[in-house]
Amino acid sequence: MSGLWPLVWRAVGARPLRSALTSIAVALGIAVVLGVQITINGLDTQAAAAQQLRAGASGLDVRVDAGAGITPAQVLRLGGIQGVAQAAPLYEKRVAAAPAGSGLQGLTVTLVGLQDGTAGLRPVHVVAGRLPHPGSINEVAIDQALSQALATKRGTAIHIGDRIQMITASGPDQFVVVGTTAGTSAGPAFTRSAVFADNAAMLGTFRLGLRTPLVALRLFPSFNAADVAAQVHARLGSQVTTYDPTGGGLAPLADLRALLALVTMLSVVIGAGVTANSVALAVLERRRDIGLLRAAGASATQVFRMFAAEAALVCAFAVPVGVGVGVALGYFLGSQYSPPDLPFGGVSVSAWQVIAAIAAGVGAALLGGMVPAFAAARVPILDALRLHPQQGRQRVNTALLSPAVLCLVGATLCFISSASGLVALGVALFLLGVVLTLPVLMPLIGALVARAVSRFSPGAANAAAGLVRSRNRTSLTAAGLAVTVATAVAVGTLTASALSASDAWVSHLFVGDMVLSSPVTQRDTVMTAVRHDPDVISATPLRFFSEPVAGAVLGITTLEPTVYAGQGGLDVVTPDRSQALNSLENSPSFVVPQQLASASGWQVGTQLPVQTAKGTVYFTVTGIVSHSFPGGDGSETLVMANDLARTYFGAAASGFDDLVVTTDGATGNVQATAASYGMQGVQVDSISGAARDALQHSVGLLVALAVIAVGIAMLALVNTLVVNVRQRTRELALLRAVGMDRRQAFRLVVSESGLLALTTVLLGVGVGCVIALPMMRASSTATFTPVFVFPASVAVALVLTVVVSTLLAVLGPARRAANASVLDALRHE
Amino acid sequence: MLVAESLRKSFHVSRPARQVLRGISLTVGHGEFVAVMGASGSGKSTLLHVLGGLERPDSGSVRIQGVDIYSLADGARSAFRRDHIGFVFQFFNLLPALTAAENVALPLRLRNESWLRPRSRRVAQSVIMERVTTLMDQLNLRGLQGHGPDEISGGEQQRIAIARALAAAPSLLLADEPTGNLDWNSGQEVLSMLARLCRAQAQTAVLVTHDAQVAAYADRVLVIRDGEIIDEIEMGRRDDPGKRPDHARLAARLAKLEL
Ligand SMILES: Nc1ncnc2c1ncn2[C@@H]1O[C@H](COP(=O)(O)OP(=O)(O)O)[C@@H](O)[C@H]1O
Ligand SMILES: [Mg+2]
């Protein structure tokens, strides 16, 4: 490079803005790859930590939900299994509790046993005070929400040092509260809120009616959960279920990873496009240089190397910036999108990931730059030497049309399937097809847009003619922006649709305007009291519990079917709402969520064996709903009638956990009534608001990345338009020589650039809506079944941003081109 | 030195195809300074491009120092051009990103650039510098070394272009209307310098022009019309290098050709 290196170096320096913009584009490509990597690393680490926290020291949970659960003999046998270091039974009992001295009119609470300060090997989070001492038989710790609920009769909350009264079979029934706890996130065996006592008390005073629903097994490090689970089933039979609490952790953003990969790839490809565009512009501007070099004896290879080196130089600048911005982006996105209850673990990234990000960004950019560099090397010398390459009306390259049609047909075929991999391929093919047909589409849409805006901007028709004249160049310029805008709109559509789906879900779940939720199962008398509140028009109870159904422990929600049938609750898919809900009343039956039904192969009419207090009973599936109530572990619950639940599950199904209330609009009184029973009143609106927030939170990552991609593409557009305008100096001079004034000349170039930007972004919006449909279908899951909603705000923001920033970018060059002295401009060449 | 035989070239832009060179043959001896004269559009530039290996003729051959340049592959022809041919064009001869000295040094630098060339056969930087200084001195360009093309007058630019064309000591210098873009005075200055240099160094050169004043500096003038050589005028300067260009004699001869 000794000979041409100064040329390379100075060429980059002579166009500082373009070099900088290109470098930024490549840097952003690197940054997005790295940032996404860091974000995912961070969220994964965090999810693993959270999972670890939930699992505690338990390597395998063994559960029996029916009856008294696991017998002491079985616990012993579990302890004897090879690989098991410790078998910790979890003792549980439902008892009536009340503040000391208030008689026995208390609440039914769940009492959970502690062994060495852990429940089922899980740590219990202490908010204040401490846990009961090991061996203590008269101390308890109490969930903070429950302490509110228990306080009611005396009007003040239960404090540390206060006494509560619980019914026991023998011995003392007064207990000292020594601490308050929070968030018993200890997995499926736990109720929402509990009273904790040491196992000494559990096995002593509370011995009668004690259940052991779970035994947590601590495993020796060299044994894996699956092998031990097999042993457990071999020894205890199929009555027990086993569950690996450390495994099966949900990968954060799992649903979004395919889309994330797509958007990330897009950023890299667009970065490459910007580089290709920038090198192509350099080739265009320096055609004459190429001719001179070749005439002086430079080989085609030398010319190629010169332009390739320019691309490489620009990439070299991009690397440190890209890595820096990538780390910052990763940190920002990671902390932005990590769940609020866990702090983001900080930036962790391996050297290989950094190298891979650089390789992806720089590699793609270099490849992009090679194409025009190669073309430059192939320019016939005399063509290059000619001062004004003929710029006739450009024709549509028909060779591109058949691959374009192939791409579009292929995309359609892919869209018919709903496998996410195929749909992603289809989206890529569709975008490619659109890019290839741009030389046809751009002038068409440009003319339409021009006609639409001609009232405000009289020059639009002329500008549209310009688009036709240079259709190929225009298309090249527009391609990146159209594709990224399309992606951003598609992502926006997904978001908007998901949000409306979640709103619909929440409003179907709660047939009222307010939900009173209780930390502990309340007795029916409380419901009666709430119903008597003058502001309450109606109230219907919900009760959540879990039972073994068809061999697995499933969450069940009970409700009043007539209320839900009457008020349009639940989104029944088959057969119809009233039929499905009304038959719930008549015989043992469930309405099941679609996701569970399709996963288990259940249909309306399927009989499911259920362990009940009356032995095994076959329940019928009477209906399938698109969504039911969230089960707490990511799945959705079965739904049944509350009277029948009491018949078959007895005390386990009595009372209620939530009360869905329709008020007359004044909620203050209702809130107070609820609070007096330790319940919390939440507006249904704010529930859907919370659901919205959660969704927006995760999809926001995609939107952020799509916006970055649009930004990268804008860099290419600005680069090209600035060169276009500059190159038209001579044409403008000619026009002015025959009488056009400066103002008209200025307006001509500006309106051409504006029209190009507007056409491109509108095309992108249209294409985005089209690709959003199959993407929506592919990404719909149990909790995410969107219906098309046009993301108006995203679209408007994109159109405005793109058009305004384009106009701002060309304003300066346009003014200079329009104001150049006619004679200078003509003499110049 | 340069032997061209029955060169034909037509361009198929319009119908019927436009024949620009219709069987031109010419021979230029070593150290000879030949001018090709003709009206605008007569095919002079095309002829020059064909002679310099920039444009393949439809038929006919070009031999420079015995090498048939169109039998070479593209890469080899580039290398041949680099080592044996210097070009001067009418305008925009200089690479705007390079200084005057760098422009002059370009052909030598290009030689060094080849990956295949062993280090030992590279032209040393000091040799390049020396060559550049000598050439720029000879063309009266002292002091312009560090200036960029846009800070230099048109006449100076053309002299730099000539220096660059001569830098690699080419066998053949080809100039296409080198003074066409200059005012009369600078044109004369450039031409006299070019002519003097060619004579002093026995540089073979072919110069193309539509201007009889310019052609008069040559040893021999070929007159071309519609792609054919229609006359050949010996200016008799080879034997007498100090002789002033005989404008009157050439003009008289051309008048007979109604040029
Ligand atoms: N690449 C080309 N394509 C088509 N026509 C050409 C091309 N180059 C030259 N011509 C035509 O050939 C004729 C001779 O051109 P040229 O050799 O440039 O003439 P001169 O240099 O004598 O003015 C002109 O009419 C020109 O239009
Ligand atoms: Mg010419």
Side-chain angles (χ1 to χ4, degrees), chain B residues 44-45 176-177:
Chain B
K44 306 180 299 288
S45 294
D176 190 352
E177 315 240 16

Side-chain angles (χ1 to χ4, degrees), chain A residues 37 56 146 178 228 234 256 274 360 516 574 591 626 664 712 739 757 797 816:
Chain A
Q37 199 59 61
L146 192 55
V178 295
V228 176
L256 297 178
V274 176
L516 310 182
T574 46
V591 161
S626 61
D664 58 4
I712 300 177
R816 244 168 286 137

Side-chain angles (χ1 to χ4, degrees), chain A residues 1-4 6-7 10 288-289 292-300 302 305 381-382 385 387 828-829, chain B residues 49 54-55 74 78 81-82 87 89 91-99 102 106 109-110 113-115 164:
Chain A
M1 263 300 142
S2 60
L4 297 179
L7 271 180
R10 279 172 220 167
R288 175 103 190 147
D289 288 18
L292 287 174
L293 280 169
R294 296 280 276 135
S299 63
Q302 282 174 317
R305 283 217 302 266
I381 302 176
L382 288 175
L385 281 171
L387 283 180
H828 214 74
E829 321 230 322
Chain B
H49 296 152
L54 295 180
E55 183 137 60
D74 189 67
S78 285
R81 203 161 45 230
R82 185 186 66 209
F87 275 102
F89 301 101
F91 22 49
F92 298 122
N93 267 299
L94 305 184
L95 289 154
L98 300 183
T99 64
E102 284 168 338
L106 184 68
R109 289 252 176 93
L110 282 174
E113 245 247 355
S114 169
W115 283 352
R164 186 181 67 201

Side-chain angles (χ1 to χ4, degrees), chain A residues 238-255:
Chain A
S238 57
Q239 281 284 8
V240 301
T241 49
T242 53
Y243 173 76
D244 178 0
T246 60
L250 286 176
L253 307 178
D255 294 345

Side-chain angles (χ1 to χ4, degrees), chain A residues 386, chain B residues 11 13 18 20 39-47 55 177:
Chain A
R386 209 164 289 135
Chain B
F11 291 109
V13 180
R18 191 182 150 80
V20 179
S40 178
S42 54
K44 306 180 299 288
S45 294
T46 307
L47 174 62
E55 183 137 60
E177 315 240 16

Side-chain angles (χ1 to χ4, degrees), chain A residues 381-696:
Chain A
I381 302 176
L382 288 175
D383 280 0
L385 281 171
R386 209 164 289 135
L387 283 180
H388 302 293
Q390 281 97 333
Q391 277 188 334
R393 199 186 166 84
Q394 290 180 331
R395 294 170 172 284
V396 174
N397 187 351
T398 41
L400 291 181
L401 288 182
S402 48
V405 170
L406 274 183
C407 282
L408 293 178
V409 169
T412 316
L413 290 180
C414 289
F415 289 163
I416 291 173
S417 114
S418 61
S420 60
L422 272 182
V423 169
L425 178 68
V427 167
L429 280 178
F430 188 79
L431 290 177
L432 187 62
V434 168
V435 166
L436 291 178
T437 42
L438 277 182
V440 181
L441 287 178
M442 283 298 289
L444 275 181
I445 301 175
L448 286 179
V449 173
R451 190 172 308 163
V453 301
S454 60
R455 182 151 4 130
F456 316 103
S457 157
N462 273 334
L467 286 189
V468 179
R469 201 159 27 120
S470 58
R471 49 173 84 210
N472 291 335
R473 181 118 164 254
T474 304
S475 308
L476 262 181
T477 311
L481 187 63
V483 166
T484 46
V485 166
T487 309
V489 168
V491 169
T493 306
L494 287 182
T495 315
S497 310
L499 288 177
S500 88
S502 108
D503 282 355
W505 181 16
V506 171
S507 65
H508 270 130
L509 283 188
F510 303 109
V511 288
D513 56 0
M514 201 174 185
V515 177
L516 310 182
S517 61
S518 166
V520 63
T521 303
Q522 300 272 10
R523 281 168 306 141
D524 292 342
T525 49
V526 175
M527 181 167 65
T528 316
V530 171
R531 278 181 174 152
H532 283 139
D533 188 295
D535 290 329
V536 170
I537 295 167
S538 66
T540 179
L542 296 174
R543 168 91 178 96
F544 307 104
F545 59 98
S546 51
E547 291 294 337
V549 175
V553 178
L554 297 180
I556 296 173
T557 304
T558 72
L559 44 71
E560 293 175 324
T562 44
V563 172
Y564 268 74
Q567 301 192 13
L570 288 176
D571 197 1
V572 181
V573 182
T574 46
D576 68 70
R577 189 192 326 269
S578 56
Q579 201 180 331
L581 292 175
N582 288 331
S583 22
L584 278 183
E585 295 263 39
N586 306 327
S587 60
S589 51
F590 292 128
V591 161
V592 302
Q594 196 163 32
Q595 156 223 14
L596 186 62
S598 55
S600 324
W602 301 342
Q603 288 157 353
V604 173
T606 304
Q607 304 270 317
L608 307 173
V610 181
Q611 305 280 335
T612 71
K614 301 180 169 179
T616 301
V617 175
Y618 281 84
F619 277 56
T620 314
V621 175
T622 63
I624 293 173
V625 287
S626 61
H627 289 293
S628 76
F629 299 84
D633 55 350
S635 65
E636 294 175 19
T637 61
L638 306 174
V639 176
M640 71 180 293
N642 55 2
D643 325 343
L644 281 170
R646 271 170 226 188
T647 315
Y648 287 99
F649 302 107
S654 67
F656 66 92
D657 294 306
D658 283 0
L659 212 49
V660 184
V661 178
T662 308
T663 65
D664 58 4
T667 55
N669 266 338
V670 186
Q671 291 273 18
T673 313
S676 73
Y677 292 102
M679 296 191 289
Q680 222 190 350
V682 188
Q683 303 282 338
V684 169
D685 283 352
S686 70
I687 296 179
S688 53
R692 271 178 160 263
D693 285 351
L695 244 167
Q696 235 154 8

